[in-house]
Amino acid sequence: MAAVTGTSLEFDNARQQFKIALQKSVEADDKEDVLSFVEKYQDELGLEKRAVLDQVFRDILCEMIANASEAEHLKNLINFAVQAVQQDMCSPSTPFLMMADIFDMLTIERCEDIFDLVEDKVTIWKSETFYESGKNYLLRMCNDLIRRLSKSQNTIFCGRIQLFLSRLFPLSEKSALNLASQFNLENVTIFTKKEESEKKESSADVMEVDTTNDQSSSVPIDYHLYSKFWALQDYFRRPTQCYDKSAWDVFSRYSKDVLAIFSSYKLDDTSSSSKKSAPTQQQSQQQAQNFFAKYLTSEKLLNLQLNDSNFRRYVLVQFLIIFQYLKATVKFKTQIHTLTEEQTEWLKESQQEVIKLLCETPPHGEQFCNAVKHILEREEHWNSWKNESCPSFIKEKLKEQAKAKPRPKKKRIGDDLMASGGKSLKLGHPELTRLWNLNPDNMEACKDESRVFLPKLDDFFANAIDQADPEAMVEEQYKDINHQNFQWKAYRLLARSSPHFFVHAVTPGLPINAHLKDIVDKMAKELNPNQQTEEVKSEMAVAEDDDEIKENNEVDEEMKNGEQDSASPRLQFNAEEMQSIAEKLGDSWMKLGEKLDFPADDLAYFKDSSDSTTAAALSMLTVWQEVDPDRDTISIVRDALKELGLTSILEAEDSP
Amino acid sequence: MSYTKDNRQTMQYMLHSAIYDVCFSPCGSFLAAANKFGDVALFSLTAALSPNVQDEAKCPVYTFNVYKNAGIYCLTSTDTELICSGEGDIQAYRWSDIIAKSPKVTWALSIPQKGVFSHPEINSCVIDSNSDKGTLYAGAGDNNIYAWDIESGEYKSCLSGHTDYIHKICTKDNGQGLVSVSEDGTARIWDLRANEICHIVKPYEHEMCARLDLGKWLQCLALDEDNYWLVLGGGPTMSAWHLNTLTPTVTFDTPGVSQTVALFYEDKIFSAGNSNILNHWSLTGDHKMAVPISPTAVYSIGINDTSKSNKVMAIAGSSGYVDICTNFGYRAFSLSFSHLSP
């Protein structure tokens, strides 16, 4: 108990001192003063200094309001409080509570002055320190203020408050949004109805000159138009009732009549005449125009209203709005809310008429009409936005980009190779992997002996040199150098590896065989510089060993009968050999084909395209041989036949 | 006493009615309309303009017959009396009697007989109440204008000179002069003090307004308050003539449509003719408005100036309806001559 009283005493004490300090510094307009005072202030109980300062701020404000201080002073005090919050000397809600106090206690005119401050500080309210604690206070304060204001008198102030709220809250804040597109049904336009004037009517029925009645209304009133005109406002208020059949009939009839009157009663373009005289005056008049949020519906005003171009514009724009609503697809319309074809047609016609009237209405009718059309287009966008159930305006593009970035990079083949130390590489298929890994080092693979396809110069020309020797007595036609095939190969080889090829030819246009003969002779000389002696020797040898020579001759004979390429080691079959092999192979040619790595469908093709097995085997062998002429056909076929156990064919082949 | 009609007449009323003239009562609460069957119908403007208006309010409160099956061409009103003229004697009724539904002929005047079979109709009738005597002038079908002293009923004089029947007359310069327009295409300005013609105006001869394809006749006549402008129209294009110099200054062009009625009102001229359009003109000849109305040919336009609350425009013509404009820019509603609702 003692502790409690002690605290409260202490609080009061601190409050007194703070108040004096704050008052001083407010008068001196020195904020640092009071803040440093509070900073230094110490008490025994360790009071929460913030609470004290909060209270002191409100106390002083209360006094100031009671003394009817200037708006400037009040603003100044709030600025003090804001600074105190920024320095964490009092709680963040204090400035908001103070403003709420002000707006609760002041008259509307003075509120309007002070509201400047609220507007100016919108960035402060949105800052981190204030936003969370203050937004609800501000919303409540603004709503309270709006409730106090007259919708027809304080339109500008109302608008200021609404603008402030929309600046304060983020764009995505939907609490103030009319999500379900409901109509403001409270906006009822009251006008004199028939029932109300019943009493007057009964007295007017009397067949007398009723002078009192005369005085009551000073101008003749077209009550037909009056009632029709203002009855339309109810449709504008709640457009959905137009979908009702009988209500539609009334609506279309009334609007037709009203539009007919507007089109009959053309307004004078007063601005065009006054423009010449005083354009500035006209402009200032336009600026000073008053805006009313509600229509004045006294019947006495009707004639004046019909004369008023602004009034006419309001009504015509209302027509355009309702026409647009009736045609638009709105999510919240039900099944019943559809127009018949006839109604749509009527709407279209009337809309065009209204637009025409709007263009005719001075001043600057067409300009105004275009502006209205543009606004209504915007309304369509708004409507479709709502139909899509109000998607957020903030585009989520950034997030998507961020997601896309960490997509796995394409691995380069080399990386895998490096990882395995350059030894093996997985390609995802065993056969590919095998092929790829035949030799990991490409340069080494290229240098491999099996890759050397170029025959050695000496080996290639050995035969030709031999033949060139007149002692060999080879007939011209059998000499290698006279065969085109050999000539071509020889030239290729010479071009790559012989110095003789590039020797300047004394006689240009020499036939190829003659040229080759020259070269072969030169090569022969290089190989055997002492040819003469050898020849002598050989002559002697011939004499010594006749049998051997015979044998040699036989071999030569055979070679003459054999294939034309006999100059080089024989690699390929000739046609006769192939024919004999094919005949002997018979049905087993397919097996040979498999051995020779022919794909199954190729074999099937050979089989189908030939009449007999011999023909099929022959075409297969021919193709195989032609695929790679440099291949050692004979030995491969021989090996393959051996493996198949068809050695009998080989034997027959070997013995000519 | 109420006027009864047989079926045939009802049909005639419906299909062939034409209202030649309208006239507002001095109190401004009633409108009288006269048709070609010799009937005068009385409408209550107060009832027709009341908030709770019903169809009955747009029918005559009372109808009475003046000429048996003969047209009434002109209605003129004094402070107390309604003067009917047409194919018969000029007859005067007290407004108060008509409103009380018991009309009595207070006096009647007839054109001096010139032969056994001469019964000329009176097309236009004006009262010059400015001068002390009070004179009634009547433009008649026999090309003459007759004058009577309205107090005594004494026949005063005859103005002759027109070569065809007279369409319309009006007084000018406080009763010192009179203007008449006639089928012969001339407008004549008379000096009433000397009872002789001062000027003859022939719009059909003037290149500004001549429309010979429509004829030279003049039916439309209006004078502004200051007697400065004279508006003439008919076959020729309606045009405003400067009275002092008698030259046309402004034309009000209505292509192919002849104007039969014109009226100065405030700074505007209203005119209508053989089309269902009421034209609003500025004095400089600008066409301000074309208001659609129900009759296809207009014979009479009246504005009720005496009562502020019933200040309406009434337009009558070749139909059984009188159009009422509360605001002169559009037709508010129509009054039906017959008891059949419009």
Side-chain angles (χ1 to χ4, degrees):
Chain A
M1 194 64 191
V4 172
T5 49
T7 325
S8 63
L9 274 174
E10 201 57 53
F11 185 89
D12 284 343
N13 192 17
R15 188 174 164 182
Q16 292 280 320
Q17 294 191 38
F18 277 26
K19 197 170 174 180
I20 294 160
L22 185 57
Q23 248 161 355
K24 265 188 201 161
S25 65
V26 166
E27 275 161 29
D29 199 13
D30 184 7
K31 284 142 197 162
E32 294 309 312
D33 225 20
V34 65
L35 297 178
S36 58
F37 173 80
V38 173
E39 192 109 43
K40 283 175 206 152
Y41 183 84
Q42 291 290 327
D43 60 276
E44 298 101 53
L45 290 162
L47 266 175
E48 181 59 60
K49 280 189 274 184
R50 284 155 57 120
V52 182
L53 196 58
D54 290 351
Q55 187 57 46
V56 170
F57 266 119
R58 293 188 73 179
D59 287 347
I60 290 185
L61 183 74
C62 207
E63 279 174 27
M64 283 170 92
I65 292 170
N67 297 336
S69 302
E70 291 281 312
E72 279 309 310
H73 293 148
L74 295 172
K75 285 184 191 174
N76 212 11
L77 190 67
I78 291 171
N79 281 330
F80 259 70
V82 169
Q83 290 215 339
V85 173
Q86 279 166 344
Q87 299 191 14
D88 202 23
M89 305 292 272
C90 65
S91 55
S93 59
T94 310
F96 301 109
L97 287 170
M98 287 164 72
M99 285 192 292
D101 288 346
I102 290 174
F103 289 125
D104 279 349
M105 284 188 266
L106 290 186
T107 58
I108 287 171
E109 289 102 90
R110 297 194 64 200
C111 284
E112 211 165 344
D113 287 340
I114 307 247
F115 201 73
D116 289 343
L117 177 87
V118 184
E119 282 171 330
D120 290 343
K121 291 216 178 298
V122 69
T123 43
I124 292 179
W125 308 145
K126 285 178 90 167
S127 68
E128 219 176 301
T129 353
F130 291 99
Y131 186 71
E132 272 309 315
S133 55
K135 63 173 182 183
N136 287 331
Y137 285 110
L138 281 174
L139 184 62
R140 200 176 307 139
M141 179 185 91
C142 288
N143 283 338
D144 286 346
L145 205 51
I146 285 178
R147 217 167 291 140
R148 280 173 66 196
L149 297 175
S150 151
K151 268 184 187 153
S152 51
Q153 302 293 311
N154 306 102
T155 39
I156 293 172
F157 193 19
C158 277
R160 275 175 68 189
I161 296 170
Q162 300 281 15
L163 277 178
F164 166 74
L165 284 176
S166 61
R167 278 168 73 197
L168 178 68
F169 288 103
L171 189 60
S172 52
E173 175 71 44
K174 282 177 192 159
S175 61
L177 190 65
N178 181 4
L179 276 171
S181 299
Q182 281 159 338
F183 297 105
N184 178 17
L185 298 179
E186 285 165 21
N187 184 19
V188 184
T189 307
I190 300 158
F191 61 98
T192 323
K193 290 215 173 89
K194 284 175 183 175
E195 296 80 39
E196 292 162 29
S197 49
E198 203 93 55
K199 284 176 193 169
K200 264 193 219 167
E201 174 56 25
S202 59
S203 63
D205 259 345
V206 180
M207 273 283 295
E208 276 171 37
V209 185
D210 195 345
T211 46
T212 53
N213 205 6
D214 261 15
Q215 285 163 349
S216 68
S217 60
S218 53
V219 282
I221 293 143
D222 181 2
Y223 281 97
H224 282 280
L225 179 64
Y226 177 78
S227 55
K228 281 178 191 170
F229 195 90
W230 293 115
L232 277 176
Q233 290 297 326
D234 195 53
Y235 292 93
F236 295 150
R237 178 180 68 103
R238 195 159 59 90
T240 42
Q241 60 184 311
C242 290
Y243 293 108
D244 181 56
K245 182 75 180 76
S246 56
W248 167 268
D249 287 344
V250 176
F251 169 72
S252 58
R253 202 172 67 234
Y254 283 6
S255 30
K256 204 176 153 195
D257 288 351
V258 169
L259 290 178
I261 282 161
F262 280 161
S263 65
S264 155
Y265 192 168
K266 300 265 186 305
L267 291 175
D268 268 349
D269 192 357
T270 47
S271 70
S272 66
S273 53
S274 61
K275 230 185 245 171
K276 292 160 200 161
S277 55
T280 47
Q281 199 183 350
Q282 176 68 20
Q283 278 172 354
S284 62
Q285 270 180 4
Q286 277 185 341
Q287 278 169 357
Q289 269 173 355
N290 285 314
F291 294 99
F292 296 106
K294 288 287 284 178
Y295 284 121
L296 301 172
T297 59
S298 165
E299 56 265 45
K300 290 174 194 171
L301 289 173
L302 187 64
N303 260 343
L304 297 173
Q305 283 166 336
L306 288 177
N307 255 325
D308 181 354
S309 67
N310 279 324
F311 179 85
R312 184 171 295 194
R313 277 178 179 172
Y314 297 153
V315 178
L316 290 174
V317 171
Q318 278 189 306
F319 271 116
L320 285 182
I321 292 170
I322 194 176
F323 291 164
Q324 172 151 338
Y325 173 81
L326 291 176
K327 282 201 292 188
T329 47
V330 176
K331 200 175 155 191
F332 304 97
K333 283 185 186 174
T334 57
Q335 205 82 56
I336 326 153
H337 294 158
T338 46
L339 295 171
T340 65
E341 215 161 277
E342 197 184 340
Q343 288 170 334
T344 321
E345 192 61 29
W346 184 88
L347 274 186
K348 211 172 154 190
E349 279 168 25
S350 309
Q351 197 173 21
Q352 275 165 358
E353 198 186 341
V354 172
I355 286 171
K356 192 173 142 252
L357 286 172
L358 212 50
C359 288
E360 281 173 2
T361 308
H364 313 299
E366 284 192 22
Q367 210 179 324
F368 181 81
C369 183
N370 287 335
V372 169
K373 275 191 208 164
H374 182 71
I375 292 165
L376 289 175
E377 262 171 47
R378 300 279 300 251
E379 174 69 20
E380 263 171 36
H381 296 315
W382 174 257
N383 189 28
S384 59
W385 177 71
K386 277 195 171 180
N387 283 350
E388 288 160 20
S389 43
C390 313
S392 171
F393 291 117
I394 301 153
K395 289 184 180 164
E396 308 222 347
K397 202 177 171 185
L398 286 172
K399 272 188 189 172
E400 276 170 30
Q401 272 184 345
K403 268 180 199 168
K405 267 183 187 170
R407 199 198 311 169
K409 269 186 197 168
K410 255 192 182 171
K411 266 191 184 171
R412 285 167 62 189
I413 294 168
D415 294 349
D416 210 21
L417 190 65
M418 299 296 278
S420 69
K423 275 176 188 161
S424 75
L425 184 64
K426 292 255 159 59
L427 284 171
H429 188 274
E431 187 60 17
L432 276 174
T433 312
R434 189 187 67 78
L435 284 171
W436 196 261
N437 289 321
L438 282 176
N439 194 337
D441 191 335
N442 279 341
M443 283 311 285
E444 284 305 314
C446 291
K447 282 177 192 163
D448 194 74
E449 271 186 46
S450 64
R451 299 283 303 166
V452 180
F453 300 112
L454 212 61
K456 286 227 171 102
L457 203 60
D458 297 350
D459 295 347
F460 185 77
F461 280 100
N463 243 334
I465 289 168
D466 285 349
Q467 286 166 2
D469 191 350
E471 281 179 27
M473 292 203 293
V474 178
E475 287 171 46
E476 272 307 298
Q477 62 180 44
Y478 297 117
K479 280 184 178 168
D480 277 353
I481 52 167
N482 288 337
H483 293 294
Q484 283 190 339
N485 210 340
F486 180 79
Q487 285 169 356
W488 185 80
K489 283 184 179 175
Y491 265 97
R492 294 281 306 267
L493 189 60
L494 286 170
R496 299 195 72 171
S497 45
S498 169
H500 301 296
F501 188 73
F502 296 102
V503 173
H504 178 67
V506 188
T507 47
L510 211 63
I512 294 175
N513 51 356
H515 185 226
L516 266 180
K517 196 169 175 278
D518 278 355
I519 293 171
V520 169
D521 285 347
K522 277 177 195 166
M523 286 172 78
K525 272 176 195 163
E526 277 171 25
L527 283 172
N528 303 317
N530 46 358
Q531 202 181 19
Q532 281 296 321
T533 51
E534 260 190 38
E535 273 179 9
V536 175
K537 264 187 191 170
S538 60
E539 266 175 46
M540 284 155 71
V542 166
E544 283 170 9
D545 200 346
D546 246 350
D547 291 349
E548 265 186 32
I549 295 168
K550 272 181 188 170
E551 246 181 51
N552 279 342
N553 279 349
E554 275 173 12
V555 171
D556 278 353
E557 288 278 330
E558 189 214 314
M559 283 176 87
K560 279 172 214 161
N561 296 333
E563 64 164 335
Q564 294 161 342
D565 266 9
S566 51
S568 59
R570 225 171 66 104
L571 297 172
Q572 302 204 318
F573 295 111
N574 58 22
E576 288 152 2
E577 285 167 348
M578 234 178 300
Q579 180 68 33
S580 68
I581 294 171
E583 278 168 13
K584 284 166 193 161
L585 269 172
D587 287 336
S588 55
W589 68 271
M590 298 257 285
K591 284 177 190 165
L592 179 64
E594 281 161 20
K595 271 284 166 208
L596 296 177
D597 288 342
F598 269 105
D601 37 2
D602 277 12
L603 292 175
Y605 167 75
F606 291 131
K607 194 180 174 184
D608 291 345
S609 57
S610 317
D611 316 324
S612 60
T613 50
T614 316
L618 185 62
S619 58
M620 178 190 80
L621 284 171
T622 318
V623 166
W624 192 71
Q625 186 165 292
E626 279 167 8
V627 165
D628 191 354
D630 289 342
R631 185 161 47 187
D632 191 354
T633 314
I634 295 173
S635 54
I636 293 172
V637 170
R638 194 170 282 164
D639 291 348
L641 289 172
K642 261 181 201 163
E643 280 177 47
L644 289 168
L646 295 167
T647 39
S648 57
I649 301 170
L650 282 172
E651 281 159 15
E653 192 60 35
D654 281 347
S655 54
Chain B
M1 173 192 134
S2 75
Y3 184 76
T4 54
K5 300 178 288 281
D6 61 17
N7 283 340
R8 192 177 160 175
Q9 266 183 318
T10 317
M11 288 292 285
Q12 275 186 327
Y13 259 76
M14 282 176 68
L15 298 172
H16 306 293
S17 188
I19 299 166
Y20 289 127
D21 208 357
V22 288
C23 185
F24 294 99
S25 69
C27 62
S29 302
F30 294 93
L31 172 75
N35 72 355
K36 72 174 191 180
F37 303 112
D39 288 333
V40 171
L42 191 71
F43 299 93
S44 165
L45 289 175
T46 323
L49 290 169
S50 73
N52 185 17
V53 69
Q54 261 134 34
D55 284 343
E56 298 94 73
K58 292 176 191 163
C59 291
V61 287
Y62 180 64
T63 311
F64 65 98
N65 186 250
V66 177
Y67 304 131
K68 190 85 185 159
N69 279 331
I72 302 171
Y73 297 135
C74 185
L75 292 176
T76 321
S77 177
T78 66
D79 289 345
T80 51
E81 286 160 331
L82 175 71
I83 300 160
C84 306
S85 46
E87 293 182 69
D89 292 346
I90 299 169
Q91 295 184 15
Y93 298 86
R94 277 189 196 283
W95 277 106
S96 54
D97 291 346
I98 301 169
I99 290 165
K101 298 185 183 179
S102 57
K104 291 186 284 281
V105 179
T106 44
W107 48 263
L109 298 169
S110 54
I111 293 170
Q113 290 271 326
K114 292 194 172 157
V116 185
F117 300 106
S118 90
H119 292 288
E121 82 281 5
I122 292 166
N123 290 322
S124 181
C125 197
V126 287
I127 290 162
D128 168 32
S129 51
N130 289 312
S131 59
D132 317 329
K133 302 156 216 166
T135 316
L136 185 140
Y137 299 95
D142 63 354
N143 315 343
N144 297 325
I145 299 159
Y146 300 95
W148 289 270
D149 186 311
I150 203 164
E151 296 298 322
S152 59
E154 180 194 337
Y155 172 68
K156 284 169 73 177
S157 59
C158 171
L159 303 170
S160 48
H162 278 294
T163 56
D164 210 332
Y165 62 86
I166 289 162
H167 274 295
K168 196 163 164 61
I169 56 171
C170 70
T171 55
K172 72 186 255 295
D173 296 335
N174 292 329
Q176 293 178 0
L178 187 130
V179 189
S180 60
V181 288
S182 154
E183 183 71 12
D184 64 10
T186 60
R188 291 175 193 237
I189 301 168
W190 309 83
D191 185 349
L192 292 177
R193 290 163 296 188
N195 278 345
E196 60 189 24
I197 298 170
C198 312
H199 305 285
I200 300 176
V201 182
K202 293 176 179 170
Y204 65 89
E205 281 181 347
H206 207 285
E207 58 176 10
M208 259 179 89
C209 43
R211 281 193 299 194
L212 289 175
D213 53 324
L214 288 175
K216 53 184 187 176
W217 53 277
L218 290 178
Q219 186 174 1
C220 164
L221 169 68
L223 267 173
D224 75 328
E225 269 180 43
D226 304 328
N227 291 323
Y228 198 73
W229 295 105
L230 172 70
V231 170
L232 299 173
T237 310
M238 191 170 90
S239 49
W241 294 67
H242 199 234
L243 259 179
N244 292 342
T245 57
L246 290 176
T247 48
T249 50
V250 186
T251 57
F252 308 95
D253 195 20
T254 48
V257 178
S258 50
Q259 299 294 293
T260 52
V261 197
L263 191 69
F264 275 93
Y265 189 79
E266 288 168 354
D267 56 348
K268 278 188 192 163
I269 300 170
F270 300 127
S271 81
N274 296 324
S275 70
N276 58 344
I277 294 290
L278 172 76
N279 297 300
H280 292 218
W281 307 92
S282 73
L283 291 182
T284 51
D286 295 329
H287 191 232
K288 291 285 187 190
M289 258 187 246
V291 180
I293 46 175
S294 45
T296 51
V298 178
Y299 302 132
S300 175
I301 302 174
I303 292 174
N304 188 10
D305 258 333
T306 46
S307 161
K308 237 187 158 189
S309 66
N310 293 332
K311 188 176 130 186
V312 294
M313 180 193 273
I315 303 157
S318 61
S319 80
Y321 303 108
V322 180
D323 282 359
I324 301 292
C325 303
T326 49
N327 181 314
F328 301 157
Y330 68 96
R331 182 182 72 89
F333 57 92
S334 297
L335 300 170
S336 168
F337 204 96
S338 70
H339 278 279
L340 301 160
S341 57

